[in-house]
């Protein structure tokens, strides 16, 4: 079984590509085999069509808040809602979401999914800082077109399983509120480098709370460890964090949990794996 971990960008480029960690689990170790990068959405979409079996953790939201969808009068079936969402332009999405927020009181502008709180994730309807709404708009339609399976949301190829992941969930379980990355060169400090090394050490030792009870630990070569620590943007490390969340789900599935460790959740909103 191949494991994938994807750090996603809704507008990939040479400077900021989509980053895919590829690995596998072997007797409790999660081995990182390689890092792949994609400078276009089309190249990434083509990669999704590679035959399985694989389980992947993807750092992009798979759904929108039910409150938002019902207020806007959009379809409340997940597949129909995603098809409608894909038909909209980004300006149309921004305008619809801004109008929703404008009608709400200060301090409660955004609607939230049930999974956002446990995961500590941004609302999936945010279109800036970070633009996760546009990540959903760019990523989910391409995953659907590739025919992958979305556990709890939509059936597809059982040998290619896509799960919503969030690297911040795993990172914060080790580092708390300490920042370990930045796209801003002025904020790529020695303190963030130390935080990345601390996080990597914990993952290799199996000390991340998320991994407790599974016996999983990350296995890296010296070169891989240096490479992950040296990336100040954290994109490569985030892909590996998503890989580990996919490994957590595969472990649960291997113990007989056909839902890959996902709880009962709203089939319109989706759920972040391991939250």
């Amino acid at each position: 079984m191949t494991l994938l971990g994807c750090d996603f960008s809704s507008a990939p480029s040479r400077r900021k590509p989509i980053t895919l960690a590829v690995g596998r689990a072997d007797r409790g170790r999660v081995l990182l085999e390689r890092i792949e990068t994609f400078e276009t959405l089309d190249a990434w979409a083509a990669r999704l069509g590679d035959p399985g079996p694989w389980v992947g953790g993807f750092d992009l939201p798979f759904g929108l808040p039910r409150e938002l969808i019902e207020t806007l009068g959009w379809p409340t079936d997940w597949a129909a809602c995603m098809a409608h969402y894909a038909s909209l332009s980004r300006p149309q999405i921004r305008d619809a979401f801004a109008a929703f927020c404008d009608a709400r009181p200060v301090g409660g502008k955004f609607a939230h999914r049930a999974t956002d709180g446990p995961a500590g994730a941004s609302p999936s309807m945010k279109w800036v800082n970070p633009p996760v709404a546009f990540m959903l708009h760019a990523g989910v339609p391409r995953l659907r077109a590739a025919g992958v399976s979305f556990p709890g949301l939509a059936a597809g190829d059982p040998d290619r399983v896509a799960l919503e992941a969030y690297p911040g969930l795993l990172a914060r379980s080790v580092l708390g509120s300490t920042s370990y990355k930045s796209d801003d060169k002025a904020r790529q400090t020695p303190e963030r480098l130390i935080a990345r090394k601390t996080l990597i050490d914990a993952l290799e030792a199996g000390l991340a709370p998320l991994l407790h009870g599974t016996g999983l630990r990350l296995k890296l070569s010296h070169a891989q460890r240096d490479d992950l620590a040296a990336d100040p943007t954290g994109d490569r490390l985030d892909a590996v964090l998503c890989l580990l969340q996919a490994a957590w789900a595969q472990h649960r599935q291997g113990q007989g949990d056909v839902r890959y460790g996902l709880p009962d959740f709203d089939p319109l909103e989706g759920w972040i794996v391991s939250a």
Side-chain angles (χ1 to χ4, degrees), residues 76-198:
T76 55
D77 169 77
W78 182 81
C81 183
M82 291 299 100
H84 173 73
Y85 193 64
S87 74
L88 301 175
S89 68
R90 291 188 183 182
Q92 287 174 317
I93 292 169
R94 182 194 61 228
D95 291 346
F97 289 2
F100 174 90
C101 292
D102 288 344
R104 291 164 66 90
V106 175
K109 294 292 187 181
F110 292 101
H112 295 262
R113 298 181 297 163
T115 192
D116 294 338
S122 296
S124 61
M125 66 171 293
K126 284 193 73 175
W127 62 94
V128 290
N129 300 324
V132 286
F134 295 154
M135 293 167 67
L136 189 162
H137 186 256
V140 168
R142 289 172 170 83
L143 285 163
R144 292 188 68 218
V148 305
S149 178
F150 297 88
L153 295 173
D157 181 355
D159 283 339
R160 293 177 296 139
V161 176
L163 300 164
E164 181 181 344
Y166 179 50
L169 172 62
L170 180 50
R172 278 198 297 270
S173 74
V174 175
L175 298 175
S177 61
T178 300
S179 177
Y180 63 97
K181 62 179 182 177
S182 178
D183 288 334
D184 181 356
K185 287 188 177 181
R187 301 177 64 191
Q188 294 172 354
T189 61
E191 289 77 14
R192 285 183 168 86
L193 172 59
I194 292 170
R196 289 194 296 278
K197 290 181 176 180
T198 299

Side-chain angles (χ1 to χ4, degrees), residues 61-69 78 112-116 124 136 153 164 265-272:
F62 282 8
L64 293 164
R66 177 175 288 274
E67 180 184 7
L68 170 71
I69 292 167
W78 182 81
H112 295 262
R113 298 181 297 163
T115 192
D116 294 338
S124 61
L136 189 162
L153 295 173
E164 181 181 344
F265 62 86
D266 187 328
L268 179 60
E269 293 190 339
W271 196 266
I272 294 170

